[in-house]
Amino acid sequence: QVQFVESGGALVQPGGFLRLSCAASGFSLNDYAIGWFRQAPGKERERVACISSNYGSADYPNSMKDRFTISRDLTENTVYLQMNSLKPEDTAVYYCAGVFWGLCPLPEGEYVGWGQGTQVTVSL
């Protein structure tokens, strides 16, 4: 069963940074495109970043590409989301999920293995 576990969320001040982790076990992340998503209270879930399977090319919505960076460490079987210059509007629960042999960008409905999410709060 494909399952991902997110970690790294925290309370951070505006202008700060965080690195989130998305870990997998029992299968190789190289075989999956991994997407990061977020959902703020009262809002729909939105795509943050995606890294494709195999060659690991990254894709971002235009609103995310300046401050967020997705990467992966196949030896650790973990995908990371580096978030810089955080703003209060970045406050949300952040999730990761995967698509087998996927090439980003991908429709949200194709993702599987959603984790429980990790809370990011940006506030003074």
mmCIF file of all heavy atoms in Angstrom, residues 14-34:
data_model
loop_
_atom_site.group_PDB
_atom_site.id
_atom_site.type_symbol
_atom_site.label_atom_id
_atom_site.label_comp_id
_atom_site.label_asym_id
_atom_site.label_seq_id
_atom_site.Cartn_x
_atom_site.Cartn_y
_atom_site.Cartn_z
ATOM 1 N N PRO A 14 6.621 35.457 10.280
ATOM 2 C CA PRO A 14 6.673 35.935 8.886
ATOM 3 C C PRO A 14 8.108 36.242 8.471
ATOM 4 O O PRO A 14 8.884 36.813 9.247
ATOM 5 C CB PRO A 14 5.813 37.195 8.926
ATOM 6 C CG PRO A 14 4.853 36.955 10.041
ATOM 7 C CD PRO A 14 5.643 36.193 11.083
ATOM 8 N N GLY A 15 8.442 35.877 7.251
ATOM 9 C CA GLY A 15 9.802 36.035 6.750
ATOM 10 C C GLY A 15 10.701 34.855 7.037
ATOM 11 O O GLY A 15 11.822 34.787 6.512
ATOM 12 N N GLY A 16 10.240 33.936 7.839
ATOM 13 C CA GLY A 16 11.040 32.766 8.182
ATOM 14 C C GLY A 16 10.991 31.683 7.122
ATOM 15 O O GLY A 16 10.442 31.879 6.030
ATOM 16 N N PHE A 17 11.567 30.530 7.461
ATOM 17 C CA PHE A 17 11.627 29.436 6.510
ATOM 18 C C PHE A 17 11.378 28.119 7.231
ATOM 19 O O PHE A 17 11.546 27.999 8.454
ATOM 20 C CB PHE A 17 12.983 29.396 5.805
ATOM 21 C CG PHE A 17 14.152 29.189 6.737
ATOM 22 C CD1 PHE A 17 14.605 27.908 7.027
ATOM 23 C CD2 PHE A 17 14.780 30.269 7.343
ATOM 24 C CE1 PHE A 17 15.667 27.714 7.900
ATOM 25 C CE2 PHE A 17 15.836 30.080 8.205
ATOM 26 C CZ PHE A 17 16.279 28.805 8.495
ATOM 27 N N LEU A 18 10.979 27.124 6.446
ATOM 28 C CA LEU A 18 10.778 25.766 6.940
ATOM 29 C C LEU A 18 11.130 24.793 5.834
ATOM 30 O O LEU A 18 11.032 25.131 4.647
ATOM 31 C CB LEU A 18 9.312 25.530 7.330
ATOM 32 C CG LEU A 18 8.806 25.994 8.683
ATOM 33 C CD1 LEU A 18 7.314 25.732 8.794
ATOM 34 C CD2 LEU A 18 9.553 25.319 9.825
ATOM 35 N N ARG A 19 11.510 23.598 6.224
ATOM 36 C CA ARG A 19 11.660 22.512 5.274
ATOM 37 C C ARG A 19 10.762 21.365 5.712
ATOM 38 O O ARG A 19 10.938 20.812 6.804
ATOM 39 C CB ARG A 19 13.112 22.032 5.171
ATOM 40 C CG ARG A 19 13.307 21.045 4.022
ATOM 41 C CD ARG A 19 14.744 20.604 3.865
ATOM 42 N NE ARG A 19 15.129 19.602 4.873
ATOM 43 C CZ ARG A 19 16.164 18.797 4.750
ATOM 44 N NH1 ARG A 19 16.941 18.859 3.669
ATOM 45 N NH2 ARG A 19 16.460 17.945 5.710
ATOM 46 N N LEU A 20 9.827 21.012 4.858
ATOM 47 C CA LEU A 20 8.930 19.901 5.115
ATOM 48 C C LEU A 20 9.481 18.636 4.468
ATOM 49 O O LEU A 20 10.155 18.696 3.442
ATOM 50 C CB LEU A 20 7.535 20.190 4.564
ATOM 51 C CG LEU A 20 6.867 21.485 5.018
ATOM 52 C CD1 LEU A 20 5.460 21.577 4.428
ATOM 53 C CD2 LEU A 20 6.833 21.594 6.523
ATOM 54 N N SER A 21 9.161 17.506 5.090
ATOM 55 C CA SER A 21 9.602 16.216 4.568
ATOM 56 C C SER A 21 8.399 15.348 4.251
ATOM 57 O O SER A 21 7.386 15.379 4.953
ATOM 58 C CB SER A 21 10.476 15.500 5.601
ATOM 59 O OG SER A 21 11.637 16.243 5.898
ATOM 60 N N CYS A 22 8.541 14.561 3.190
ATOM 61 C CA CYS A 22 7.539 13.584 2.786
ATOM 62 C C CYS A 22 8.273 12.261 2.623
ATOM 63 O O CYS A 22 9.044 12.085 1.681
ATOM 64 C CB CYS A 22 6.885 14.019 1.484
ATOM 65 S SG CYS A 22 5.782 12.795 0.736
ATOM 66 N N ALA A 23 8.032 11.350 3.551
ATOM 67 C CA ALA A 23 8.765 10.086 3.573
ATOM 68 C C ALA A 23 7.895 8.946 3.060
ATOM 69 O O ALA A 23 6.676 8.942 3.246
ATOM 70 C CB ALA A 23 9.234 9.782 4.991
ATOM 71 N N ALA A 24 8.552 7.990 2.424
ATOM 72 C CA ALA A 24 7.869 6.811 1.908
ATOM 73 C C ALA A 24 8.614 5.560 2.358
ATOM 74 O O ALA A 24 9.826 5.598 2.545
ATOM 75 C CB ALA A 24 7.807 6.856 0.386
ATOM 76 N N SER A 25 7.884 4.495 2.499
ATOM 77 C CA SER A 25 8.517 3.226 2.857
ATOM 78 C C SER A 25 7.886 2.098 2.066
ATOM 79 O O SER A 25 6.702 2.155 1.745
ATOM 80 C CB SER A 25 8.382 2.960 4.359
ATOM 81 O OG SER A 25 7.017 2.869 4.720
ATOM 82 N N GLY A 26 8.724 1.133 1.713
ATOM 83 C CA GLY A 26 8.226 -0.027 1.004
ATOM 84 C C GLY A 26 8.214 0.087 -0.498
ATOM 85 O O GLY A 26 7.874 -0.876 -1.188
ATOM 86 N N PHE A 27 8.584 1.255 -1.014
ATOM 87 C CA PHE A 27 8.652 1.428 -2.462
ATOM 88 C C PHE A 27 9.594 2.586 -2.739
ATOM 89 O O PHE A 27 9.893 3.392 -1.860
ATOM 90 C CB PHE A 27 7.271 1.706 -3.058
ATOM 91 C CG PHE A 27 6.583 2.900 -2.470
ATOM 92 C CD1 PHE A 27 6.712 4.148 -3.046
ATOM 93 C CD2 PHE A 27 5.815 2.770 -1.328
ATOM 94 C CE1 PHE A 27 6.083 5.247 -2.496
ATOM 95 C CE2 PHE A 27 5.182 3.861 -0.765
ATOM 96 C CZ PHE A 27 5.321 5.108 -1.346
ATOM 97 N N SER A 28 10.059 2.661 -3.962
ATOM 98 C CA SER A 28 11.022 3.697 -4.320
ATOM 99 C C SER A 28 10.325 4.966 -4.789
ATOM 100 O O SER A 28 9.441 4.916 -5.654
ATOM 101 C CB SER A 28 11.946 3.195 -5.430
ATOM 102 O OG SER A 28 12.766 4.248 -5.906
ATOM 103 N N LEU A 29 10.767 6.090 -4.234
ATOM 104 C CA LEU A 29 10.213 7.367 -4.668
ATOM 105 C C LEU A 29 10.555 7.669 -6.119
ATOM 106 O O LEU A 29 9.888 8.483 -6.753
ATOM 107 C CB LEU A 29 10.724 8.500 -3.781
ATOM 108 C CG LEU A 29 9.984 8.698 -2.457
ATOM 109 C CD1 LEU A 29 10.598 9.858 -1.694
ATOM 110 C CD2 LEU A 29 8.512 8.926 -2.689
ATOM 111 N N ASN A 30 11.572 7.034 -6.642
ATOM 112 C CA ASN A 30 11.940 7.253 -8.044
ATOM 113 C C ASN A 30 10.807 6.828 -8.980
ATOM 114 O O ASN A 30 10.702 7.317 -10.106
ATOM 115 C CB ASN A 30 13.210 6.479 -8.382
ATOM 116 C CG ASN A 30 13.750 6.842 -9.740
ATOM 117 O OD1 ASN A 30 13.996 8.009 -10.030
ATOM 118 N ND2 ASN A 30 13.922 5.839 -10.591
ATOM 119 N N ASP A 31 9.946 5.931 -8.511
ATOM 120 C CA ASP A 31 8.853 5.417 -9.336
ATOM 121 C C ASP A 31 7.599 6.282 -9.275
ATOM 122 O O ASP A 31 6.617 5.993 -9.965
ATOM 123 C CB ASP A 31 8.477 4.002 -8.891
ATOM 124 C CG ASP A 31 9.586 3.008 -9.125
ATOM 125 O OD1 ASP A 31 10.465 3.277 -9.973
ATOM 126 O OD2 ASP A 31 9.583 1.957 -8.448
ATOM 127 N N TYR A 32 7.640 7.314 -8.442
ATOM 128 C CA TYR A 32 6.449 8.128 -8.237
ATOM 129 C C TYR A 32 6.730 9.602 -8.448
ATOM 130 O O TYR A 32 7.775 10.114 -8.027
ATOM 131 C CB TYR A 32 5.918 7.945 -6.811
ATOM 132 C CG TYR A 32 5.143 6.673 -6.610
ATOM 133 C CD1 TYR A 32 5.797 5.465 -6.409
ATOM 134 C CD2 TYR A 32 3.746 6.673 -6.645
ATOM 135 C CE1 TYR A 32 5.079 4.294 -6.253
ATOM 136 C CE2 TYR A 32 3.028 5.503 -6.478
ATOM 137 C CZ TYR A 32 3.693 4.323 -6.287
ATOM 138 O OH TYR A 32 2.990 3.163 -6.138
ATOM 139 N N ALA A 33 5.783 10.269 -9.101
ATOM 140 C CA ALA A 33 5.745 11.724 -9.013
ATOM 141 C C ALA A 33 5.155 12.062 -7.648
ATOM 142 O O ALA A 33 4.167 11.444 -7.228
ATOM 143 C CB ALA A 33 4.883 12.307 -10.119
ATOM 144 N N ILE A 34 5.758 13.020 -6.969
ATOM 145 C CA ILE A 34 5.289 13.416 -5.654
ATOM 146 C C ILE A 34 4.820 14.862 -5.693
ATOM 147 O O ILE A 34 5.530 15.746 -6.206
ATOM 148 C CB ILE A 34 6.397 13.288 -4.597
ATOM 149 C CG1 ILE A 34 6.938 11.866 -4.582
ATOM 150 C CG2 ILE A 34 5.870 13.691 -3.222
ATOM 151 C CD1 ILE A 34 5.917 10.801 -4.233
#
